[in-house]
Amino acid sequence: PRCSYRISHAGNYLGELQFSRQQRFSENELLAIETLLGTLLYPLRNALMYRAALRDALNDSLTGTSNRLALNQNLGRDIRQSHRSQQPLSLLVLDIDHFKQVNDRYGHAYGDAALKAVVNCISDSLRSVDGLYRLGGEEFVVILNSTSLDAARMVAERIRKSVENMQFELDGQPIPLTVSIGLSTLHAEDNANSLINRGDQLMYDAKRQGRNRVRVES
């Protein structure tokens, strides 16, 4: 025998709870369960609201990636872990080439669609343990834990080729999209800012060298 309860508050669905056991529930037991659920309703609602607010605060609403606040939190943690474990950590800074031209020619709605398409392309090129963050505008950061410089270069090239080969169209017209990528790897003296800044500078080097390329620190 089992009993199920659909929990909602002010028309908002919060979830469902199910109780089961071998013996049938008595009326008194069901009443006790329902009384307990009534007591737990507001704490449960508040906990779910807090979790949703925390998720929204750390996610970019347009692309669904994590945002800069999440990057600042997670990269510092990952750097400390890398130093403790003596495992490598690499970071990619990516920027969509000529993205302003897409916005200027087609409008921001189509620019947003292009941005999402590139994000999906990047995500498909990563492992589930890799972190993708929107740094701002059309610039993104990828954290590659336990990844050496050579392995990270392969990931960066995979992303670059994937975006270049992506079939993206606006109103039936194919729109070529590419990314420039800077790759930095963690040094003993690095903190989050120095690692990002070095990757950012390398990304701009890639743009100056012709775009649609990966620039790796020497």
Side-chain angles (χ1 to χ4, degrees):
R2 64 182 62 183
C3 58
S4 299
Y5 296 90
R6 187 179 188 277
I7 303 173
S8 62
H9 178 265
N12 295 319
Y13 175 69
L14 301 180
E16 186 169 330
L17 284 174
Q18 185 177 96
F19 302 88
S20 63
R21 70 178 190 184
Q22 292 182 339
Q23 290 180 306
R24 182 182 180 88
F25 290 97
S26 69
E27 292 297 324
N28 287 337
E29 287 173 329
L30 292 175
L31 180 61
I33 291 173
E34 291 162 10
T35 300
L36 177 61
L37 292 178
T39 304
L40 293 175
L41 176 60
Y42 287 102
L44 176 62
R45 181 207 60 177
N46 292 341
L48 292 174
M49 289 176 63
Y50 173 78
R51 187 179 67 175
L54 185 61
R55 182 181 62 245
D56 291 343
L58 297 176
N59 284 353
D60 176 62
S61 59
L62 175 62
T63 62
T65 64
S66 299
N67 61 19
R68 185 158 194 159
L69 176 60
L71 172 64
N72 292 339
Q73 291 182 0
N74 294 342
L75 183 55
R77 176 203 64 200
D78 292 343
I79 287 174
R80 291 190 295 272
Q81 175 61 31
S82 179
H83 286 319
R84 284 196 301 268
S85 64
Q86 297 298 303
Q87 290 295 312
L89 183 149
S90 297
L91 180 141
L92 310 179
V93 177
L94 309 91
D95 190 86
I96 304 175
D97 297 324
H98 302 298
F99 187 73
K100 185 177 184 299
Q101 295 179 12
V102 176
N103 274 334
D104 291 346
R105 182 173 181 181
Y106 298 99
H108 287 280
Y110 285 124
D112 289 349
L115 200 63
K116 293 175 185 177
V118 171
V119 165
N120 290 336
C121 200
I122 296 171
S123 297
D124 289 343
S125 302
L126 299 175
R127 306 167 299 180
S128 60
V129 295
D130 299 328
L132 174 59
Y133 304 82
R134 187 180 183 187
L135 196 58
E138 62 273 19
E139 192 171 357
F140 296 86
V141 167
V142 174
I143 300 177
L144 301 170
N145 282 296
S146 302
T147 305
S148 67
L149 188 66
D150 288 339
R153 182 189 287 110
M154 295 175 61
V155 175
E157 279 294 340
R158 184 165 67 241
I159 292 172
R160 186 195 64 77
K161 291 177 183 177
S162 180
V163 174
E164 182 183 30
N165 295 328
M166 178 176 58
Q167 303 298 314
F168 180 73
E169 296 183 352
L170 292 176
D171 287 341
Q173 179 180 352
I175 306 297
L177 293 170
T178 60
V179 292
S180 296
I181 305 175
L183 165 56
S184 56
T185 193
L186 185 67
H187 300 159
E189 68 278 9
D190 268 327
N191 57 33
N193 286 335
S194 63
L195 187 61
I196 292 174
N197 290 341
R198 202 161 64 250
D200 198 52
Q201 184 58 56
L202 289 163
M203 180 272 292
Y204 281 110
D205 289 347
K207 285 189 176 292
R208 284 190 289 267
Q209 292 174 7
R211 295 182 171 83
N212 188 27
R213 62 191 62 214
V214 177
R215 182 77 168 83
V216 182
E217 64 183 352
S218 55

